[in-house]
Amino acid sequence: MEQAKIVIPINAFIIKRKQKGVLKDVKMTLNNWILIHGMPHGRIVANTYKHKIQDRIIDVVSQSIVDGLPPIEEATTFNFDWYLPDRRTDLDNWTFTHKFMFDAFQNTTVRGIAFMPNDNLNYVHGLLDRFAGIDKENARVEISWEN
């Protein structure tokens, strides 16, 4: 089995959003996602944010594939090591972003090869999330798995 790893910067999940007339950085975690969905036209806004986040992840994945990262195979267990910028957001709010990552993985194709053909139970057999520490300068999620 071959160990594979990709690193997604946490800022891939940060969206610029106007709040009370001021443009602010907003972490697209579960709590904020729920708030946005409850607003007028929230589903449309949330979908726009989801695609922006996915595009950022697709860029990282595409470069990793070019650098030699192999495609994800069936029956994979994923390990997520979270290096967060601070302790203000609970890990369970960050893990909601699995959805963005797996959707981006499915939408990444390089040289005609899909990085992850599907995120169903044939491909995703397990998820393990771990708070790995605070890293204000390089907040990230390190995703590893074995094919």
Side-chain angles (χ1 to χ4, degrees):
M1 287 191 168
E2 180 181 328
Q3 178 78 28
K5 180 177 172 181
I6 190 164
V7 178
I8 309 290
I10 290 294
N11 65 8
F13 307 101
I14 307 290
I15 296 293
K16 295 273 187 207
R17 181 161 170 72
K18 200 176 252 190
Q19 293 179 332
K20 298 181 182 177
V22 178
L23 200 58
K24 294 186 176 184
D25 288 338
V26 175
K27 302 173 205 171
M28 200 46 55
T29 58
L30 180 58
N31 287 344
N32 287 325
W33 187 261
I34 291 168
L35 286 172
I36 290 168
H37 260 266
M39 301 170 69
H41 308 289
R43 290 180 63 182
I44 295 167
V45 172
N47 190 50
T48 300
Y49 291 160
K50 178 180 181 264
H51 285 284
K52 283 182 183 180
I53 292 166
Q54 284 179 226
D55 288 345
R56 294 172 185 168
I57 296 168
I58 288 169
D59 288 345
V60 172
V61 175
S62 295
Q63 184 59 56
S64 296
I65 293 169
V66 169
D67 293 342
L69 185 68
I72 293 169
E73 297 175 5
E74 290 187 1
T76 301
T77 297
F78 295 88
N79 298 299
F80 295 82
D81 288 331
W82 296 86
Y83 296 86
L84 302 176
D86 54 50
R87 293 182 180 270
R88 285 185 237 147
T89 305
D90 296 337
L91 185 59
D92 63 333
N93 275 301
W94 280 112
T95 60
F96 156 77
T97 61
H98 289 165
K99 175 68 176 157
F100 301 142
M101 290 182 262
F102 286 145
D103 286 354
F105 289 179
Q106 290 178 87
N107 288 320
T108 304
T109 303
V110 173
R111 298 183 199 113
I113 298 170
F115 181 61
M116 183 176 187
N118 204 313
D119 66 353
N120 63 23
L121 293 174
N122 292 329
Y123 283 86
V124 181
H125 273 206
L127 307 169
L128 175 65
D129 288 281
R130 184 176 77 92
F131 171 66
I134 300 294
D135 190 338
K136 293 179 183 182
E137 303 302 317
N138 185 24
R140 65 201 179 278
V141 57
E142 295 181 0
I143 309 161
S144 59
W145 65 92
E146 290 185 4
N147 280 337

